[in-house]
Amino acid sequence: MNEELTERLRAAAEAHQPDRARILARVERGMSGAPARHRERSGARPWPRVALASLTAVGTLAVGGFAVAAIVQSPPARPDISATPAAPSAPSVPSASETPSPAPSAPATGGPTTPDRSSSTSPGPAASGGASSARPGGAHVQDGPLSSTGSLDAHSNAYWAQSNITLKATQPLTALTVELRIVQTGAVQSTGSWRTLPADDFTVTVQQEGGAVVYRWILKPGRTVPAGQHVFAGQYNHAAGEREVKQDGYRIDANALRGALSVWGDFAQTR
């Protein structure tokens, strides 16, 4: 049943008014116009029939009113609308961020340039040829255009020391290996190194060899050391007391215009 029909039925039900006067007139006519013989023949009193007719009329009107009211009050059927709720999406989990490792601190330096970055792996021999170990005993501090000296730095103290190697070249050097050997006399441990020449020109190693801490600076292929005075220094802790330098030594191997050059010496000089 559509909405238009429902509205019409509702309006009809609301507009319906029982004609009470007509119903009462019919009841009165029924009571006054009934034949006497019919009443005498049946022997029944007339009021039960009048009451029955009234009840029938009222019942018919009541049933009709209830039917219209039921139709009007019934709401129209609504179509089923099914909706499936969307499943909530899982929250995204942030990826873990990698935390960078802190940069290592630079070793302590006492020289005028940045410290050397040393490697624990010993590189191959220099172009000038393999140098013999820088051991004490004798000295050869001059070889043509190359000369050298060794000294204990004035800033050394009872727990820490710096050994300096100073070389002088009157000609450019096309190959160079500088070796510093600090004998282990107790608690000797490297704390750094430096040189006055550019750091990128050299491969640097510091390692324990034969009871000594050995520093090596090797000129990289294709690089050149200009003529002049240059310093190489090794720094280290040691057992308490004045550093004994008699057994420490150095050696320098180089190439110049005249060919291979070598010098060596110790640190026996007083401060």
Side-chain angles (χ1 to χ4, degrees):
M1 185 178 296
N2 55 34
E3 295 182 0
E4 183 179 358
L5 180 58
T6 302
E7 292 296 330
R8 290 184 178 180
L9 291 174
R10 182 181 291 110
E14 293 175 355
H16 176 73
Q17 296 293 336
D19 193 348
R20 298 170 58 88
R22 185 178 180 183
I23 294 174
L24 291 176
R26 290 181 62 186
V27 171
E28 290 176 358
R29 284 198 305 271
M31 293 177 65
S32 61
R37 63 178 178 275
H38 179 71
R39 289 196 301 269
E40 290 173 357
R41 185 172 50 248
S42 61
R45 295 181 179 180
W47 67 267
R49 289 183 295 177
V50 174
L52 181 60
S54 300
L55 290 176
T56 301
V58 173
T60 301
L61 292 175
V63 172
F66 287 146
V68 172
I71 293 173
V72 172
Q73 292 178 0
S74 298
R78 289 183 293 178
D80 293 335
I81 301 175
S82 61
T84 304
S89 58
S92 60
V93 180
S95 60
S97 50
E98 298 183 358
T99 304
S101 300
S105 58
T109 64
T113 63
T114 56
D116 292 318
R117 293 188 296 270
S118 61
S119 170
S120 61
T121 304
S122 177
S128 60
S132 61
S133 179
R135 297 183 182 278
H140 179 66
V141 297
Q142 179 77 44
D143 188 359
L146 182 64
S147 62
S148 64
T149 58
S151 63
L152 191 65
D153 192 86
H155 295 93
S156 301
N157 56 49
Y159 303 96
W160 177 89
Q162 176 176 300
S163 296
N164 300 330
I165 303 170
T166 302
L167 68 86
K168 295 179 181 179
T170 58
Q171 297 177 3
L173 306 176
T174 57
L176 178 65
T177 298
V178 179
E179 179 181 299
L180 168 63
R181 187 179 187 88
I182 305 299
V183 175
Q184 182 62 260
T185 55
V188 175
Q189 184 177 10
S190 174
T191 59
S193 64
W194 56 269
R195 78 287 50 87
T196 55
L197 291 166
D200 291 340
D201 287 355
F202 289 86
T203 299
V204 184
T205 62
V206 181
Q207 48 195 348
Q208 297 279 346
E209 292 182 8
V213 177
V214 179
Y215 300 77
R216 286 191 181 92
W217 296 264
I218 299 178
L219 185 66
K220 294 179 180 179
R223 311 296 173 91
T224 301
V225 175
Q229 178 173 298
H230 312 290
V231 178
F232 295 80
Q235 301 170 327
Y236 48 92
N237 292 328
H238 59 79
E242 186 175 359
R243 172 66 187 166
E244 179 57 61
V245 297
K246 291 182 179 180
Q247 299 183 65
D248 298 341
Y250 71 88
R251 182 181 177 98
I252 301 172
D253 292 280
N255 276 356
L257 295 178
R258 56 161 287 184
L261 307 170
S262 295
V263 293
W264 58 89
D266 56 31
F267 302 88
Q269 298 93 337
T270 59
R271 285 184 281 170

